[in-house]
Amino acid sequence: MASLDPLLKNRSALFWTLHIGGWLSYALTQWLGTLLYDTKYENMTGYSTVIAIAAVSGFLLSLELRYIYHRLWTRAPLVIVTVALVSCWVFALLWRVIINSSYLRFTSDAMEWEMHSALEFFSNTMSSTYLLLCWTGIYFGIKYYQSLQQQREATLRAATLAQEAQLKMLRYQLNPHFLFNTLNAISTLILDNENRTANQTVMRLSEFLRYTLDQDPMKKVTLRQEVEAMNLYLTTERLRFGERLRLEIAVEERALEALVPSLLLQPLIENAVKYAVSPSEQGGTIRVEGRARGAMLELAVADDGPGLNTGAAPGAGRGVGLRNTRERLAVLYEDRHRFAALDNKPGLRIELGLPLEMATS
């Protein structure tokens, strides 16, 4: 079926293929039909000539119908039906004149046909009208199907563009948030005359921002790349927190090759740093887990901070990071994902479940 896709998408090629194939089939069936009659061998040449003339004239007349129907396509259904019926009948009359005239001219059996009136040139018009109506039905059926496919593709393209715009909006909300926090930390380091540390922080910030700008929000990367980006981000934060920031990574080797949305972990880590590490004099521990289970990739980011406020909704008070991550996953995976913010006692645990997609080697 995939090999037919180029033909189905090319309207002109599809029309000519079906049009030529249809009229060749008509000629073949008419010729085979003559073999059922007890005709003399010498008459077969005449019948073949009549069949060829009928097929060629039908081919040309139905081409004219195509141009008429092309102009009718945007009209009201009643106008289309009325004009189609009248056109088929008129063209059938002309077609029968051509066929009957050629029959009289090229077959010896015509000697037995006595013409009593010129109206007899229009004999069998109803059968020809029926045939042209069948051609019309096939034409409009295929054209309507192609129109529906075009509308469907346009809808999908619009949905994709809207999805991409929404994802970019969510991503662009995160970068200024992280940038504000880091610049504030650099300002503090400068005020404390820790210029060397401030300079290192600026360099790490530049490296991390270069990575974020290179990533397309619609693109998926391996979990291994996400962990590397997370380490790049935490290297910047360690210059600020030192030993107060502790990290534990427990990610299975197979899970590292799974595909995830780019920069998925960064806002979760950023929230853990802000709400679990920064407020505590002793700092805090952030634990990242990842494993492949069946058709799902299970991820978790946990901290040992204050956790959820009593009676608060999951993730309440935790900034835009969790909300944006939840919305981003909803756009990408709809109902095929899981997002949960759990009170870890102590701390907060964010659990994600995504469809397992492995990177191709």
Side-chain angles (χ1 to χ4, degrees):
M1 187 64 180
S3 60
L4 295 177
D5 285 346
L7 178 62
L8 293 175
K9 292 180 179 179
N10 188 327
R11 285 190 172 189
S12 180
L14 179 62
F15 171 81
W16 286 109
T17 300
L18 295 178
H19 190 62
I20 294 173
W23 284 109
L24 286 177
S25 299
Y26 166 81
L28 178 62
T29 56
Q30 291 294 311
W31 183 79
L32 291 175
T34 62
L35 299 180
L36 299 177
Y37 294 95
D38 185 17
T39 57
K40 298 177 181 180
Y41 177 78
E42 56 268 19
N43 287 338
M44 290 303 299
T45 301
Y47 281 119
S48 298
T49 303
V50 172
I51 291 170
I53 292 173
V56 171
S57 58
F59 178 92
L60 296 174
L61 289 172
S62 54
L63 276 182
E64 294 298 321
L65 286 177
R66 182 197 183 195
Y67 295 121
I68 294 174
Y69 295 159
H70 181 72
R71 294 174 178 271
L72 283 177
W73 182 245
T74 57
R75 301 296 183 90
L78 181 60
V79 175
I80 294 177
V81 172
T82 302
V83 174
L85 289 173
V86 173
S87 298
C88 286
W89 181 71
V90 171
F91 278 86
L93 288 173
L94 179 58
W95 192 25
R96 288 317 305 181
V97 170
I98 296 173
I99 294 174
N100 292 333
S101 297
S102 61
Y103 180 81
L104 288 173
R105 171 69 176 81
F106 295 104
T107 66
S108 59
D109 288 352
M111 300 294 295
E112 302 174 3
W113 183 15
E114 296 182 7
M115 296 286 294
H116 298 94
S117 170
L119 292 177
E120 292 188 30
F121 280 103
F122 301 110
S123 61
N124 294 322
T125 296
M126 290 307 298
S127 62
S128 297
T129 303
Y130 174 76
L131 185 61
L132 292 179
L133 284 173
C134 290
W135 185 95
T136 298
I138 295 173
Y139 175 84
F140 278 111
I142 294 175
K143 193 171 181 65
Y144 181 70
Y145 171 78
Q146 289 179 325
S147 178
L148 287 180
Q149 287 296 103
Q150 279 190 330
Q151 291 178 11
R152 181 173 178 271
E153 290 175 2
T155 301
L156 290 176
R157 284 196 298 269
T160 300
L161 292 174
Q163 184 186 65
E164 184 175 355
Q166 185 175 0
L167 288 176
K168 287 182 178 180
M169 177 190 70
L170 295 174
R171 272 276 306 278
Y172 294 157
Q173 287 177 1
L174 291 174
N175 286 340
H177 186 243
F178 161 70
L179 186 61
F180 172 80
N181 289 339
T182 306
L183 291 177
N184 187 56
I186 293 173
S187 177
T188 302
L189 290 172
I190 294 174
L191 290 175
D192 292 340
N193 292 321
E194 298 184 29
N195 296 333
R196 180 183 179 86
T197 304
N199 184 59
Q200 291 177 336
T201 304
V202 170
M203 293 180 63
R204 299 296 184 186
L205 172 63
S206 174
E207 191 175 354
F208 178 74
L209 288 180
R210 186 179 299 111
Y211 175 83
T212 63
L213 292 174
D214 287 341
Q215 295 301 320
D216 186 340
M218 296 293 289
K219 180 183 176 183
K220 293 178 182 178
V221 299
T222 63
L223 184 57
R224 187 186 303 277
Q225 291 174 280
E226 274 297 284
V227 172
E228 292 173 355
M230 177 191 68
N231 283 326
L232 188 61
Y233 166 75
L234 289 176
T235 298
T236 304
E237 293 292 58
R238 278 202 180 96
L239 293 173
R240 174 179 161 201
F241 294 105
E243 298 299 324
R244 293 170 56 204
L245 174 56
R246 297 177 293 276
L247 177 66
E248 296 178 1
I249 299 180
V251 181
E252 295 178 353
E253 185 64 27
R254 181 166 179 260
L256 287 173
E257 302 307 318
L259 295 175
V260 297
S262 62
L263 294 174
L264 176 67
L265 296 178
Q266 187 264 331
L268 305 181
I269 298 295
E270 182 180 345
N271 272 272
V273 169
K274 181 177 180 180
Y275 293 100
V277 178
S278 182
S280 173
E281 292 184 3
Q282 292 77 29
T285 301
I286 302 174
R287 179 178 175 84
V288 179
E289 302 172 5
R291 60 183 185 176
R293 289 294 180 268
M296 296 294 291
L297 173 66
E298 298 178 355
L299 302 174
V301 176
D303 61 61
D304 56 1
L308 295 174
N309 298 327
T310 304
R318 281 279 186 155
V320 298
L322 301 188
R323 182 176 68 252
N324 281 4
T325 300
R326 186 196 301 270
E327 293 177 0
R328 188 180 179 199
L329 292 178
V331 171
L332 282 172
Y333 299 106
E334 296 181 345
D335 58 350
R336 296 180 295 114
H337 80 285
R338 183 172 64 88
F339 181 100
L342 310 172
D343 200 337
N344 210 25
K345 297 182 180 180
L348 181 69
R349 179 180 176 87
I350 307 298
E351 294 184 350
L352 308 176
L354 313 177
L356 181 61
E357 303 175 61
M358 302 302 294
T360 55
S361 56

